[in-house]
Amino acid sequence: MKTIFQKSIPGRTSAQQTRTGPARPELIPESLSRQSPPDLPRVSELDVVRHFTGLSRQNFGVDSNFYPLGSCTMKYNPKFMEQVAALPGFTDLHPLLPQLKGAGLYTQGALQVIYDLEDLLCRITGMDAYTLQPMAGAHGELTGAMLMAAYHRKKGNRKTRLIVPDSAHGTNPSSAAIAGYEVVSIQSKDGIIDPAALKQVLDENVAGIMMTCPNTLGLFETHLPEIVDLIHSVDGLLYYDGANLNAILGRMLPGRAGFDVVHLNLHKTFGTPHGSGGPGSGPVGVNKKLEPFLPVSRVVRLEDGQFFLKYDYPDTIGYIAPFYGNFSVMLKAYAYILRLGREGLLRVSENAVLAANYLRKRLEKQLVIPYNRICMHEFVASAVNQAQNGVRAVDIAKALLDKGHYAPTVYFPLIVKECLMIEPTETETKETLDTFVDDLLEILTRAETDPEAIKSSPKNLPVTRLDEVLAARTMHLCG
Amino acid sequence: MPYIPHTQDQQKEMLETIGLGSMDELFQDIPETLTPEKFDLPRGRSEMEVTTFLRQLASRNRTGLKSFLGAGFYDHYIPAAAPALVSRSEFYTAYTPYQAEASQGSLQALFEYQTAMARLMDMDYANASVYDGGTAIYEAMMMAVRHTRRKKIVISSDLSPIYQHMLQCYTKNLHLHLETVDQSNGLPDTKGLARALDQETAALIVQNPNFFGSISDYSDLFQQCAAMGAVSIISVYPVLQSVLKTPGEMKADIAVAEGQSLGLPLSFGGPYLGIMTCSRSLIRQMPGRIVGKTRDSRGREGFVLTLQAREQHIRREKATSNICSNQSLCALQALAYICLMGPAGLEQTALKSMELARYAADKLTSIPGVSLLNKAPFGNEFAIRLPVSAYDLVDSLVPRGFVPGFPLGRYYPGLENCLLMACTEKISPTDIGMLSELIRGAL
């Protein structure tokens, strides 16, 4: 499809302004003026509408396709959440309004959303306090690591190392490094953290551990209580990566289980849309130990019931965001939690885990399942047998696209060869799950009889297999 | 249960396939000691109940004020087509486009966004966005630190104080040295900045228009920066970038911006959009997502995420940044906005906003005791000095439906009597007239 720049016609306009502004020289001296106008598309409104509509038709989304992406929790995004987030009472609010003297009175509704959502997230995770400011999960990780650093600094601890298991998301080691820590990787045993391996790296220099539980292999960390004791024994802190919270809603409260810091991905667990890669939202919860270090501002409730923004926290790490976080994403998550309530959220984890185990069981004969036992909301399969025939995980993924399913996560976690990580979520019907299995089994059979057919997929999409090496070599990054 | 489709019979059938007798057995791996005694949440409510409740909360926010609040976040008109197009669910319910063949829509849109941003800023390359304008400055600074392997950062204090706070927070554990050069009367101290540059300097960070709204040409400073082997970083206001001397024309190495003014609602602080552009030589230091053009197996053009070797899912702790998701949908909306405006619409919006600001400045300074903070050229925002506390003035006018601006004393001690006022095309000359009468009456 042509780019919008290729559709541009000199002189064409969608005429958004009703009258011409004043002459430019009157307002800007020549020396501060742009020499020529930017070469941006000159198109009509209908050109733009057709172009974007055309682009949208070249995309898979949860509304159009099954999205069994491991660790990404691509569940259905309820529509009413979009509607409430678009209310002008929320969208038209300037973020500086509550920072003016007295004007906090005019944003009480928005401040209540923040206050209440923090409270609900405390109850869902067993933490004592939250900040909703982190603008994505990885931003939450960085905030969490900075909170840990602030805690240790205040205590005079000279801790330099943060433990990150080999099964962790790539963002974990990266966030730890950006927060100034040396990253220590430990190897899993039978798919989960081995306390013996942990003991080997544990000393007074360990600031803490970053864990995902259930982990990225879909397995619950059954040694968790022992790990908590070990880390706390050196005054280390436990960080909970909430990417997989969907699996344990109501079944484990990370705060009560011993975690000191938690980040959540509102766009995963609480059904806010992923948006082709954002905006997300990555709130961070802490226990009492870490609460003094939370970023400012914080929303507090006064005795008369009014909400206001408080900045006076001497130990705060400071400002991690310009304002209060991705507010409209919070609104959607807030609406979701209110809608589902206690029973609804319990059903979420139950049915997410049910669906994952159902798929695992139906696929176990045709794919290698490296850790074939009851899994949580996702599991990892391996295409090692198919790879012997030349058909790799990526080929299976592309063949699934041809069948109208988005692909599972491939080649992650890095510790499993030819890995396909599958997460069906609780919102897909059994019929969809069955169709997916049937299609995947057909692909696996075809991989034996006609491997070239699978390796040359996809064939039914706007483009066939794309050359990633060529893209990196030519670096054609602008039109 | 909402959104869960399985019937009881289906659940039973699925449990049987797994070989389990009950739902509880699915959670057998969670140690009993970790099972919570209670899950203390309210009962679920119907869609109608939740919607009604949130409408009530929305109505407790006072919107519809005549507002001159800007300070980096501006209330420009958003053409209806922009949000309408982005609300196509194939965009907003999609995932990060790792499976390129099933995501050509998002990928091509992001490629077009990169192109539009590079052209607007007059720079070589753009990424597919980061969280917001503040994190964009931080990421730019880290690009400079990696590129130069130096640790000193020179910052002009007329850079948004909100972003200065963020930079201080992010660098606390990193052994970097932030040296801030004081502005005077709302203008950058270019000589002081030049003096602060040395062989240890990784980056110089400036803003145009600056926090006080005034416009400068940083060409000379950037040249001195380059001579020291340091990286020049400029943060700009994208709507005005259609008429102001560009980062490219000033020979900046990295240009960043808060993209909110390009068709995104104020939305109480987010989501916003961090725009990042850079010169050719720095592209491999760029954080986040980048989309590149390539060919498919039949030779047709297509788009993929590229240069991924820099990223956290491959390089882990050695990655250029920890950024995983960008602000894809916000980037898409900014692109739609730019397409709907075109270069002419953008220019008209910029000039109209500036014209109104000029008019407001003239009106207000005709009030005895009110003067401009400085005489430098400004864009759509300017600072005035009042004979009274700016806080108190704002406080007295909000109940009358006007937010006259942002009190500079909040961030700049000594400027308690100064007010920062912004205009966009949504303000009318009548609004300005009424405000100036109210202020005249209040003084």
Side-chain angles (χ1 to χ4, degrees):
Chain A
M1 204 174 130
K2 278 185 179 174
T3 67
I4 194 76
F5 294 90
Q6 290 164 327
K7 293 173 182 174
S8 177
I9 302 284
R12 186 175 287 172
T13 167
S14 78
Q16 283 297 335
Q17 295 299 326
T18 47
R19 69 180 183 92
T20 320
R24 201 204 287 197
E26 208 178 284
L27 293 165
I28 320 167
E30 171 68 17
S31 63
L32 298 175
S33 218
R34 182 171 184 136
Q35 291 310 299
S36 58
D39 185 11
L40 296 169
R42 292 161 169 89
V43 285
S44 73
E45 179 162 328
L46 181 56
D47 286 336
V48 182
V49 171
R50 290 249 167 89
H51 181 72
F52 275 77
T53 306
L55 288 178
S56 75
R57 290 157 84 174
Q58 302 201 354
N59 245 20
F60 281 25
V62 173
D63 282 7
S64 42
N65 306 79
F66 177 40
Y67 245 86
L69 265 175
S71 238
C72 302
T73 312
M74 295 291 284
K75 60 168 81 170
Y76 168 66
N77 313 123
K79 297 299 167 194
F80 85 106
M81 287 151 48
E82 298 301 310
Q83 204 179 36
V84 293
L87 291 170
F90 294 124
T91 56
D92 292 355
L93 273 191
H94 196 292
L96 286 168
L97 194 56
Q99 299 188 24
L100 306 178
K101 190 176 162 189
L105 291 175
Y106 302 114
T107 58
Q108 286 295 304
L111 294 177
Q112 185 177 340
V113 169
I114 295 174
Y115 185 88
D116 282 356
L117 180 58
E118 286 182 359
D119 176 55
L120 290 167
L121 296 180
C122 282
R123 291 158 187 259
I124 288 169
T125 56
M127 305 310 290
D128 294 321
Y130 262 86
T131 173
L132 301 180
Q133 290 177 35
M135 294 176 272
H139 200 215
E141 291 174 21
L142 177 58
T143 305
M146 293 196 303
L147 289 168
M148 291 161 81
Y151 168 84
H152 289 308
R153 197 185 303 121
K154 177 85 181 175
K155 288 190 81 175
N157 290 344
R158 298 178 62 83
K159 290 173 177 287
T160 52
R161 306 157 76 207
L162 204 50
I163 300 173
V164 183
D166 58 354
S167 62
H169 299 107
T171 45
N172 283 185
S174 169
S175 299
I178 287 166
Y181 283 111
E182 179 197 334
V183 176
V184 183
S185 184
I186 51 168
Q187 274 194 343
S188 322
K189 189 179 167 198
D190 300 326
I192 55 176
I193 295 174
D194 174 15
L198 181 58
K199 278 181 200 154
Q200 282 186 357
V201 296
L202 201 62
D203 61 26
E204 293 302 313
N205 291 324
V206 168
I209 188 169
M210 296 180 89
M211 283 175 70
T212 308
C213 182
N215 66 21
T216 54
L217 294 167
L219 304 176
F220 195 87
E221 294 285 354
T222 43
H223 302 300
L224 182 58
E226 192 182 345
I227 295 168
V228 170
D229 289 344
L230 280 170
I231 296 291
H232 282 163
S233 73
V234 295
D235 197 19
L237 297 165
L238 286 105
Y239 180 95
Y240 182 85
D241 178 323
N244 293 342
L245 188 78
N246 209 45
I248 56 144
L249 285 169
R251 303 279 168 176
M252 176 184 95
L253 307 182
R256 298 290 167 263
F259 286 97
D260 301 284
V261 199
V262 167
H263 96 258
L264 306 179
N265 303 73
L266 295 186
H267 52 286
K268 292 183 183 181
T269 310
F270 301 108
T272 73
H274 198 285
S276 316
S281 174
V284 169
V286 290
N287 57 18
K288 287 272 182 248
K289 275 203 282 200
L290 288 156
E291 186 175 354
F293 308 102
L294 283 178
V296 285
S297 58
R298 295 184 60 193
V299 178
V300 293
R301 183 174 212 161
L302 301 175
E303 275 177 15
D304 63 0
Q306 296 283 347
F307 301 94
F308 96 113
L309 291 170
K310 194 173 165 191
Y311 290 83
D312 179 23
Y313 296 93
D315 289 328
T316 175
I317 57 167
Y319 290 69
I320 58 136
F323 300 109
Y324 326 107
N326 285 344
F327 183 73
S328 83
V329 182
M330 293 171 205
L331 262 175
K332 294 176 200 180
Y334 182 49
Y336 179 87
I337 295 168
L338 293 178
R339 172 90 177 90
L340 268 71
R342 180 179 182 278
E343 317 77 29
L345 291 181
L346 281 167
R347 295 294 93 80
V348 164
S349 52
E350 235 169 44
N351 287 281
V353 175
L354 177 72
N357 279 287
Y358 178 70
L359 284 189
R360 175 183 59 83
K361 205 68 193 173
R362 287 214 54 198
L363 291 168
E364 69 183 0
K365 289 197 180 66
Q366 287 81 11
L367 281 171
V368 172
I369 313 282
Y371 307 98
N372 198 8
R373 54 190 178 88
I374 299 288
C375 65
M376 299 303 282
H377 67 322
E378 64 192 2
F379 66 99
V380 170
S382 166
V384 276
N385 290 345
Q386 288 73 18
Q388 288 169 1
N389 214 11
V391 175
R392 303 195 53 203
V394 62
D395 303 314
I396 294 168
K398 300 297 182 194
L400 277 166
L401 301 180
D402 255 345
K403 299 274 188 190
H405 310 290
Y406 197 84
T409 299
V410 288
Y411 304 114
F412 180 82
L414 308 172
I415 48 179
V416 172
K417 279 183 188 154
E418 296 302 326
C419 166
L420 294 155
M421 186 171 29
I422 302 174
E423 177 180 357
T425 82
E426 72 280 4
T427 56
E428 297 295 335
T429 63
K430 180 166 175 295
E431 298 86 272
T432 301
L433 303 181
D434 286 333
T435 307
F436 174 72
V437 169
D438 294 344
D439 289 340
L440 183 50
L441 294 183
E442 193 187 315
I443 289 165
L444 297 177
T445 308
R446 192 89 189 267
E448 285 172 24
T449 57
D450 184 6
E452 288 312 310
I454 304 301
K455 285 163 73 176
S456 59
S457 55
K459 296 189 184 72
N460 306 333
L461 295 176
V463 288
T464 56
R465 197 81 66 100
L466 288 158
D467 187 344
E468 293 188 9
V469 177
L470 177 71
R473 200 172 58 226
T474 56
M475 282 219 295
H476 198 142
L477 315 176
C478 280
Chain B
M1 279 301 149
Y3 321 125
I4 294 171
H6 309 304
T7 64
Q8 282 196 340
D9 284 348
Q10 285 181 319
Q11 286 177 335
K12 208 167 148 236
E13 203 183 318
M14 290 161 82
L15 282 171
E16 275 165 16
T17 306
I18 303 165
L20 297 181
S22 77
M23 287 288 211
D24 281 343
E25 289 173 43
L26 288 166
F27 297 93
Q28 54 187 251
D29 278 354
I30 302 184
E32 230 169 82
T33 52
L34 298 186
T35 308
E37 284 161 28
K38 59 174 186 175
F39 191 44
D40 182 20
L41 283 172
R43 289 177 59 85
R45 296 191 234 174
S46 72
E47 181 176 314
M48 187 178 79
E49 286 171 314
V50 177
T51 303
T52 306
F53 172 64
L54 284 167
R55 277 184 192 282
Q56 279 165 3
L57 285 188
S59 71
R60 295 191 62 201
N61 299 317
R62 176 132 182 231
T63 48
L65 292 161
K66 296 290 177 199
S67 175
F68 295 78
L69 261 187
F73 310 92
Y74 302 96
D75 186 20
H76 286 288
Y77 180 74
I78 301 169
L85 291 171
V86 173
S87 71
R88 289 194 61 94
S89 71
E90 298 89 340
F91 291 129
Y92 82 80
T93 73
Y95 183 65
T96 304
Y98 288 127
Q99 294 293 343
E101 296 84 358
S103 316
Q104 283 300 291
S106 294
L107 284 163
Q108 181 172 332
L110 289 175
F111 178 83
E112 293 176 6
Y113 164 85
Q114 290 171 189
T115 307
M117 291 308 139
R119 291 186 183 185
L120 185 61
M121 309 283 247
D122 196 15
M123 299 290 286
D124 296 328
Y125 292 130
N127 71 5
S129 80
V130 292
Y131 309 137
D132 84 305
T135 40
I137 297 172
Y138 155 73
E139 293 288 353
M141 183 189 80
M142 294 308 289
M143 285 173 72
V145 169
R146 286 192 299 272
H147 182 71
T148 60
R149 295 166 191 268
R150 299 176 184 176
K151 291 187 179 287
K152 177 176 159 186
I153 317 290
V154 177
I155 300 171
S156 184
S157 81
D158 59 343
L159 171 73
S160 165
I162 298 169
Y163 298 152
Q164 290 184 58
H165 281 310
M166 286 172 70
L167 291 180
Q168 280 156 14
C169 176
Y170 286 115
T171 50
K172 216 169 258 174
N173 306 312
L174 296 181
H175 313 290
L176 295 177
H177 169 53
L178 269 51
E179 186 173 324
T180 306
V181 176
D182 268 345
Q183 51 81 32
S184 78
N185 280 330
L187 293 173
D189 174 7
T190 40
K191 286 193 184 119
L193 287 165
R195 274 197 304 275
L197 296 172
D198 58 24
Q199 305 283 349
E200 308 296 312
T201 308
L204 163 75
I205 307 177
V206 297
Q207 180 174 322
N208 192 47
N210 70 3
F211 187 70
F212 300 82
S214 58
I215 306 166
S216 301
D217 179 0
Y218 290 101
S219 303
D220 293 344
L221 198 56
F222 290 171
Q223 210 174 347
Q224 295 170 51
C225 193
M228 288 293 171
V231 172
S232 51
I233 299 169
I234 186 168
S235 170
V236 302
Y237 171 19
V239 167
L240 292 200
Q241 209 44 71
S242 60
V243 295
L244 297 186
K245 185 163 185 171
T246 65
E249 285 166 342
M250 295 183 203
K251 300 227 174 337
D253 297 308
I254 304 175
V256 296
E258 169 50 63
Q260 175 272 328
S261 58
L262 298 174
L264 296 171
L266 286 163
S267 218
F268 207 51
Y272 289 165
L273 170 67
I275 298 170
M276 289 194 82
T277 62
C278 69
S279 62
R280 204 167 301 270
S281 60
L282 287 166
I283 186 66
R284 286 184 192 276
Q285 297 298 341
M286 186 76 110
R289 302 260 170 266
I290 297 172
V291 175
K293 197 188 264 189
T294 187
R295 295 199 172 271
D296 75 0
S297 58
R298 293 187 202 159
R300 292 174 299 189
E301 273 187 356
F303 301 90
V304 291
L305 291 175
T306 192
L307 303 180
Q308 292 185 78
R310 308 161 296 121
E311 289 191 80
Q312 39 75 24
H313 56 276
I314 295 177
R315 295 262 290 167
R316 294 173 82 82
E317 71 265 28
K318 294 192 170 58
T320 48
S321 86
N322 72 331
I323 285 185
C324 183
S325 62
N326 58 344
Q327 296 291 97
S328 206
L329 210 61
C330 303
L332 208 64
Q333 187 144 330
L335 173 69
Y337 175 83
I338 280 176
C339 293
L340 290 163
M341 301 303 283
L346 270 184
E347 179 172 336
Q348 282 164 21
T349 302
L351 294 179
K352 204 167 162 181
S353 305
M354 289 173 70
E355 180 197 21
L356 287 162
R358 183 77 253 171
Y359 176 70
D362 291 345
K363 268 280 196 211
L364 289 164
T365 51
S366 73
I367 301 171
V370 179
S371 59
L372 284 171
L373 186 60
N374 62 55
K375 300 233 176 321
F378 57 85
N380 69 326
E381 194 161 21
F382 57 94
I384 52 172
R385 210 182 268 283
L386 300 160
V388 296
S389 148
Y391 272 112
D392 293 342
L393 179 76
V394 173
D395 199 30
S396 71
L397 293 186
V398 174
R400 307 178 77 166
F402 281 84
V403 188
F406 184 72
L408 282 164
R410 170 149 166 70
Y411 292 118
Y412 294 94
L415 296 184
E416 283 77 11
N417 282 9
C418 296
L419 188 69
L420 182 64
M421 301 185 66
C423 293
T424 69
E425 75 281 12
K426 284 172 83 173
I427 290 288
S428 74
T430 317
D431 299 333
I432 292 168
M434 283 169 68
L435 176 70
S436 65
E437 285 316 304
L438 281 172
I439 292 180
R440 193 185 291 271
L443 296 185

